[in-house]
Coordinates of all heavy atoms in Angstrom, one line a residue:
R420 N 21.6 -11.3 37.6 CA 21.7 -12.8 37.7 C 20.4 -13.5 37.4 O 19.3 -13.0 37.6 CB 22.0 -13.2 39.2 CG 23.4 -12.9 39.6 CD 23.7 -13.5 40.9 NE 25.0 -13.0 41.4 CZ 25.1 -11.9 42.0 NH1 24.1 -11.2 42.4 NH2 26.3 -11.5 42.3
S421 N 20.6 -14.7 36.8 CA 19.5 -15.6 36.6 C 19.9 -17.1 36.8 O 21.1 -17.4 36.5 CB 18.8 -15.4 35.2 OG 19.7 -15.9 34.2
S422 N 19.0 -17.9 37.2 CA 19.3 -19.3 37.4 C 18.0 -20.1 37.6 O 17.0 -19.5 37.7 CB 20.3 -19.6 38.6 OG 19.5 -19.6 39.7
L423 N 18.2 -21.4 37.6 CA 17.1 -22.3 37.9 C 16.4 -22.0 39.2 O 15.2 -22.3 39.3 CB 17.7 -23.8 37.9 CG 16.9 -24.9 37.5 CD1 16.1 -24.7 36.2 CD2 17.7 -26.2 37.4
D424 N 17.0 -21.4 40.1 CA 16.5 -21.0 41.4 C 15.4 -19.9 41.3 O 14.6 -19.7 42.2 CB 17.5 -20.6 42.4 CG 18.3 -21.7 42.9 OD1 17.9 -22.9 42.7 OD2 19.5 -21.5 43.4
D425 N 15.4 -19.1 40.2 CA 14.5 -18.0 40.1 C 13.1 -18.6 39.7 O 12.9 -19.4 38.8 CB 14.9 -17.1 38.9 CG 16.1 -16.3 39.3 OD1 16.1 -15.6 40.3 OD2 17.1 -16.4 38.5
T426 N 12.1 -18.2 40.5 CA 10.7 -18.6 40.2 C 10.2 -17.6 39.1 O 10.5 -16.4 39.2 CB 9.9 -18.4 41.5 OG1 10.5 -19.2 42.5 CG2 8.4 -18.9 41.2
I427 N 9.5 -18.1 38.1 CA 9.1 -17.3 37.1 C 7.6 -16.8 37.4 O 6.7 -17.6 37.5 CB 9.1 -18.0 35.7 CG1 10.6 -18.2 35.4 CG2 8.5 -17.1 34.6 CD1 10.9 -19.3 34.4
P428 N 7.5 -15.5 37.7 CA 6.1 -15.0 38.2 C 5.1 -15.1 37.1 O 5.5 -14.9 35.9 CB 6.4 -13.6 38.7 CG 7.7 -13.2 38.1 CD 8.5 -14.4 37.7
A429 N 3.8 -15.3 37.5 CA 2.7 -15.2 36.5 C 2.7 -13.7 36.0 O 3.2 -12.8 36.8 CB 1.4 -15.5 37.2
Q430 N 2.3 -13.5 34.9 CA 2.3 -12.1 34.2 C 0.9 -11.6 34.2 O 0.2 -11.6 33.2 CB 2.9 -12.1 32.9 CG 4.3 -12.8 32.8 CD 5.4 -12.1 33.5 OE1 5.5 -10.9 33.4 NE2 6.2 -12.8 34.2
N431 N 0.5 -11.0 35.4 CA -0.9 -10.5 35.5 C -0.9 -9.0 35.5 O -0.7 -8.4 36.6 CB -1.6 -11.1 36.7 CG -1.9 -12.5 36.6 OD1 -2.2 -13.0 35.5 ND2 -1.7 -13.3 37.6
Y432 N -1.0 -8.3 34.4 CA -1.0 -6.9 34.4 C -1.5 -6.3 33.1 O -1.7 -7.1 32.1 CB 0.4 -6.3 34.7 CG 1.5 -7.0 33.9 CD1 1.8 -6.5 32.6 CD2 2.2 -8.1 34.4 CE1 2.7 -7.1 31.9 CE2 3.2 -8.6 33.6 CZ 3.5 -8.2 32.3 OH 4.4 -8.8 31.6
S433 N -1.5 -5.0 33.0 CA -1.9 -4.4 31.8 C -0.7 -3.7 31.2 O 0.1 -3.1 31.8 CB -2.9 -3.2 32.2 OG -3.5 -2.7 31.1
V434 N -0.5 -4.0 29.9 CA 0.7 -3.5 29.2 C 0.6 -2.0 29.0 O -0.5 -1.6 28.5 CB 0.9 -4.3 27.8 CG1 2.0 -3.7 27.0 CG2 1.1 -5.8 28.1
P435 N 1.6 -1.2 29.3 CA 1.5 0.2 29.1 C 1.6 0.6 27.7 O 1.9 -0.2 26.8 CB 2.7 0.8 29.9 CG 3.6 -0.3 30.1 CD 2.9 -1.6 30.0
G436 N 1.2 1.9 27.4 CA 1.3 2.4 26.0 C 2.8 2.4 25.6 O 3.7 2.6 26.4
D437 N 3.1 2.3 24.3 CA 4.4 2.2 23.8 C 5.1 3.6 23.7 O 4.7 4.4 22.8 CB 4.4 1.5 22.5 CG 5.7 0.9 22.1 OD1 6.8 1.5 22.5 OD2 5.8 -0.1 21.4
F438 N 6.1 3.8 24.5 CA 6.8 5.1 24.4 C 7.3 5.3 23.0 O 7.3 6.4 22.4 CB 7.9 5.2 25.4 CG 8.6 6.5 25.3 CD1 8.1 7.7 25.8 CD2 9.8 6.6 24.5 CE1 8.7 8.9 25.6 CE2 10.4 7.8 24.3 CZ 9.9 9.0 24.9
S439 N 7.8 4.2 22.4 CA 8.4 4.3 21.0 C 7.4 4.8 20.0 O 7.8 5.5 19.0 CB 9.1 3.0 20.6 OG 10.0 2.6 21.5
A440 N 6.1 4.4 20.2 CA 5.1 4.9 19.3 C 4.7 6.3 19.6 O 4.6 7.2 18.7 CB 3.9 3.9 19.4
A441 N 4.6 6.6 20.9 CA 4.3 8.0 21.4 C 5.3 9.0 20.8 O 5.0 10.1 20.5 CB 4.3 8.0 22.9
A442 N 6.6 8.5 20.7 CA 7.7 9.4 20.3 C 7.4 10.1 18.9 O 7.8 11.2 18.7 CB 9.0 8.7 20.2
F443 N 6.6 9.4 18.1 CA 6.3 10.0 16.8 C 5.4 11.2 16.9 O 5.6 12.2 16.3 CB 5.6 8.9 15.8 CG 6.6 7.9 15.4 CD1 6.7 6.6 16.0 CD2 7.5 8.1 14.4 CE1 7.6 5.7 15.7 CE2 8.5 7.2 14.0 CZ 8.5 6.0 14.7
W444 N 4.5 11.2 18.0 CA 3.6 12.3 18.2 C 4.4 13.4 19.0 O 4.1 14.5 18.8 CB 2.4 11.8 18.9 CG 1.7 10.7 18.2 CD1 1.4 9.5 18.6 CD2 1.3 10.7 16.8 NE1 0.9 8.7 17.6 CE2 0.8 9.4 16.5 CE3 1.3 11.7 15.8 CZ2 0.3 9.1 15.3 CZ3 0.9 11.3 14.5 CH2 0.3 10.0 14.3
L445 N 5.3 13.0 19.8 CA 6.1 14.0 20.6 C 6.8 14.9 19.6 O 6.9 16.1 19.7 CB 7.1 13.4 21.5 CG 6.6 12.4 22.6 CD1 7.8 12.0 23.5 CD2 5.5 13.1 23.4
V446 N 7.4 14.3 18.5 CA 8.1 15.0 17.5 C 7.1 15.7 16.6 O 7.2 16.9 16.3 CB 9.1 14.2 16.7 CG1 9.7 14.9 15.5 CG2 10.2 13.7 17.7
A447 N 6.1 15.0 16.1 CA 5.1 15.6 15.2 C 4.5 16.9 15.8 O 4.4 17.9 15.1 CB 4.0 14.6 14.8
G448 N 4.2 16.8 17.1 CA 3.7 18.0 17.8 C 4.7 19.1 17.9 O 4.4 20.2 17.8
S449 N 5.9 18.7 18.2 CA 7.0 19.7 18.5 C 7.3 20.4 17.3 O 7.8 21.6 17.4 CB 8.2 19.0 19.1 OG 7.9 18.4 20.3
I450 N 7.2 19.9 16.1 CA 7.6 20.6 14.9 C 6.5 21.3 14.2 O 6.7 22.0 13.1 CB 8.3 19.6 13.8 CG1 7.3 18.6 13.3 CG2 9.6 19.0 14.5 CD1 7.9 17.7 12.2
Q451 N 5.2 21.2 14.7 CA 4.1 22.0 14.1 C 4.0 23.3 14.8 O 4.1 23.4 16.1 CB 2.8 21.2 14.3 CG 2.6 19.9 13.5 CD 2.6 20.2 12.0 OE1 2.2 21.3 11.6 NE2 3.0 19.3 11.2
P452 N 3.6 24.4 14.1 CA 3.4 25.6 14.7 C 2.2 25.6 15.6 O 2.1 26.4 16.6 CB 3.3 26.6 13.6 CG 3.5 25.9 12.4 CD 3.6 24.4 12.6
E453 N 1.2 24.8 15.3 CA 0.0 24.8 16.1 C -0.3 23.3 16.6 O -0.6 22.4 15.7 CB -1.3 25.2 15.3 CG -1.6 26.7 15.6 CD -2.9 27.0 15.0 OE1 -3.9 26.8 15.7 OE2 -3.0 27.5 13.9
T454 N -0.2 23.1 17.8 CA -0.3 21.7 18.4 C -0.9 21.7 19.8 O -0.6 22.6 20.6 CB 1.2 21.1 18.6 OG1 1.8 21.0 17.4 CG2 1.1 19.8 19.2
N455 N -1.8 20.8 20.0 CA -2.2 20.4 21.4 C -2.6 19.0 21.4 O -3.7 18.6 21.0 CB -3.3 21.3 21.8 CG -3.5 21.2 23.3 OD1 -3.0 20.4 24.0 ND2 -4.4 22.1 23.8
V456 N -1.6 18.1 21.7 CA -1.9 16.6 21.6 C -1.6 16.1 23.0 O -0.7 16.3 23.7 CB -0.9 16.0 20.6 CG1 -1.1 14.4 20.6 CG2 -1.1 16.5 19.2
H457 N -2.7 15.3 23.4 CA -2.6 14.6 24.7 C -2.5 13.1 24.5 O -3.4 12.5 23.9 CB -3.9 15.0 25.5 CG -3.9 14.5 26.9 ND1 -3.2 15.1 27.9 CD2 -4.5 13.4 27.4 CE1 -3.4 14.4 29.0 NE2 -4.2 13.4 28.8
L458 N -1.5 12.5 25.1 CA -1.3 11.1 25.0 C -1.5 10.5 26.3 O -0.8 10.9 27.3 CB 0.2 10.8 24.5 CG 0.6 11.4 23.2 CD1 2.1 11.2 23.0 CD2 -0.2 10.9 22.0
S459 N -2.4 9.4 26.4 CA -2.7 8.8 27.7 C -1.9 7.5 27.9 O -1.7 6.8 26.9 CB -4.2 8.5 27.8 OG -4.9 9.6 27.5
Q460 N -1.6 7.3 29.2 CA -1.1 6.0 29.6 C 0.2 5.5 28.8 O 0.2 4.4 28.3 CB -2.2 4.9 29.4 CG -3.3 5.1 30.3 CD -3.0 4.7 31.8 OE1 -2.6 3.5 32.0 NE2 -3.0 5.6 32.7
V461 N 1.2 6.5 28.7 CA 2.4 6.1 28.0 C 3.4 5.5 29.0 O 3.6 6.1 30.1 CB 3.0 7.4 27.4 CG1 4.2 7.0 26.5 CG2 2.0 8.1 26.6
G462 N 4.0 4.4 28.6 CA 5.1 3.9 29.4 C 6.3 4.8 29.5 O 6.7 5.4 28.5
I463 N 6.7 5.1 30.8 CA 7.8 6.1 30.9 C 9.0 5.4 31.7 O 9.6 6.1 32.5 CB 7.4 7.3 31.6 CG1 6.6 7.0 32.9 CG2 6.5 8.2 30.7 CD1 6.6 8.2 33.9
N464 N 9.2 4.1 31.4 CA 10.3 3.4 32.1 C 11.6 4.2 31.8 O 11.9 4.5 30.6 CB 10.4 2.0 31.4 CG 11.6 1.2 31.9 OD1 12.7 1.7 32.1 ND2 11.4 0.0 32.2
P465 N 12.4 4.6 32.8 CA 13.6 5.5 32.6 C 14.5 4.9 31.6 O 15.2 5.7 30.9 CB 14.2 5.5 34.0 CG 13.1 5.1 35.0 CD 12.2 4.3 34.3

Side-chain angles (χ1 to χ4, degrees):
R420 283 193 189 84
S421 67
S422 79
L423 209 47
D424 286 342
D425 291 304
T426 304
I427 295 160
Q430 307 292 316
N431 292 322
Y432 49 82
S433 191
V434 176
D437 198 329
F438 178 81
S439 301
F443 291 99
W444 308 122
L445 301 187
V446 172
S449 299
I450 62 174
Q451 288 297 334
E453 262 193 86
T454 296
N455 194 348
V456 176
H457 184 78
L458 304 173
S459 308
Q460 294 285 299
V461 186
I463 52 157
N464 179 318

